[in-house]
């Protein structure tokens, strides 16, 4: 099956149809997605500030990293699930959206940055864990991480302004704009 066929299957799935027809589901999914991304960025930002040496270097990087990582991964999991749900509702439009693609590229690069840090720079953490400024490689990893996650957020917001929402109101929706009294 080609990409277009797969996207049409996703777009036409029962879950996607339900999400599109529900007046409450999509705002809830989107709000949870935004909160999850905020948590991902916030926890990563705390670690990155320590990598940059902009916070208390007397605090153990290893301990800080360990404390934040569980929250980062939990929030990232929630962001992935809600992101998939958001994608399903308009899969074809998202797939062809430049901002969406740039967001995915920024996320991939942030992941590569993390893997490089964990497998190369992070191996020397014992020498700069506490009381010593992080090495240049660690500072570069922290700066890149902040830059890439800001790009993820920027492109994620850009999607909302470029994806071509369908503002049609489902036929069975009853809108009551009368105010009592």
């Amino acid at each position: 099956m080609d990409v277009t066929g797969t996207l049409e299957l996703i777009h036409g799935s029962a879950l996607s149809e339900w999400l599109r027809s529900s007046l409450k589901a999509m705002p809830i999914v989107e709000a949870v997605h935004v909160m999850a991304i905020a948590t991902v960025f916030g926890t990563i930002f705390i670690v990155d500030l320590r990598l940059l040496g902009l916070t208390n270097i007397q605090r153990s990087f290893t301990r800080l990293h360990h404390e934040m990582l569980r929250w980062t991964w939990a929030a990232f999991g929630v962001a992935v699930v809600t992101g998939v749900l958001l994608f399903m509702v308009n899969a074809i439009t998202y797939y062809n959206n430049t901002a969406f693609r740039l967001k995915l590229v920024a996320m991939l690069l942030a992941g590569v940055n993390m893997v490089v840090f964990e497998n190369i720079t992070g191996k020397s953490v014992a020498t700069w864990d506490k009381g010593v400024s992080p090495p240049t490689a660690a500072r570069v990893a922290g700066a890149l991480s902040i830059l890439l996650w800001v790009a993820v957020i920027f492109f994620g917001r850009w999607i909302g302004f470029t994806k071509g929402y369908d503002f049609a109101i489902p036929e069975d929706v009853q809108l009551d704009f009368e105010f009592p009294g």
Side-chain angles (χ1 to χ4, degrees):
M1 183 178 294
D2 65 345
V3 172
T4 303
T6 302
L7 294 171
E8 288 172 355
L9 276 175
I10 293 168
H11 182 80
S13 70
L15 179 56
S16 181
E17 292 287 339
W18 176 77
L19 287 166
R20 268 193 304 281
S21 66
S22 171
L23 288 178
K24 294 179 182 175
M26 285 308 293
I28 291 169
V29 169
E30 193 161 3
V32 171
H33 186 70
V34 168
M35 288 186 291
I37 291 295
T39 303
V40 168
F41 179 72
T43 57
I44 289 173
F45 190 66
I46 290 167
V47 173
D48 290 342
L49 288 176
R50 174 61 176 83
L51 285 176
L52 290 169
L54 298 176
T55 58
N56 185 0
I57 62 172
Q58 296 305 317
R59 180 153 190 219
S60 166
F61 172 80
T62 305
R63 182 173 177 193
L64 176 67
H65 183 263
H66 176 73
E67 290 170 354
M68 291 294 111
L69 199 58
R70 71 184 110 204
W71 294 104
T72 303
W73 281 113
F76 186 75
V78 171
V80 167
V81 170
T82 55
V84 168
L85 292 173
L86 291 169
F87 176 81
M88 290 175 66
V89 171
N90 214 348
I92 296 166
T93 302
Y94 273 126
Y95 179 77
N96 293 310
N97 183 286
T98 301
F100 176 74
R101 290 180 176 205
L102 290 171
K103 177 182 177 179
L104 293 181
V105 168
M107 286 174 55
L108 176 67
L109 292 174
V112 168
N113 183 52
M114 179 196 66
V115 168
V116 169
F117 172 78
E118 293 289 337
N119 291 305
I120 297 173
T121 310
K123 298 247 186 232
S124 69
V125 73
T127 62
W128 53 270
D129 186 42
K130 189 174 179 181
V132 178
S133 290
T136 301
R139 291 194 305 271
V140 168
L144 274 174
S145 176
I146 292 170
L147 177 71
L148 290 167
W149 282 105
V150 166
V152 168
I153 293 166
F154 175 81
F155 292 128
R157 287 300 306 135
W158 189 11
I159 292 167
F161 297 102
T162 60
K163 80 173 198 114
Y165 280 104
D166 176 8
F167 289 105
I169 298 172
E171 292 178 25
D172 60 339
V173 173
Q174 299 296 320
L175 300 176
D176 182 11
F177 293 110
E178 293 182 28
F179 297 99

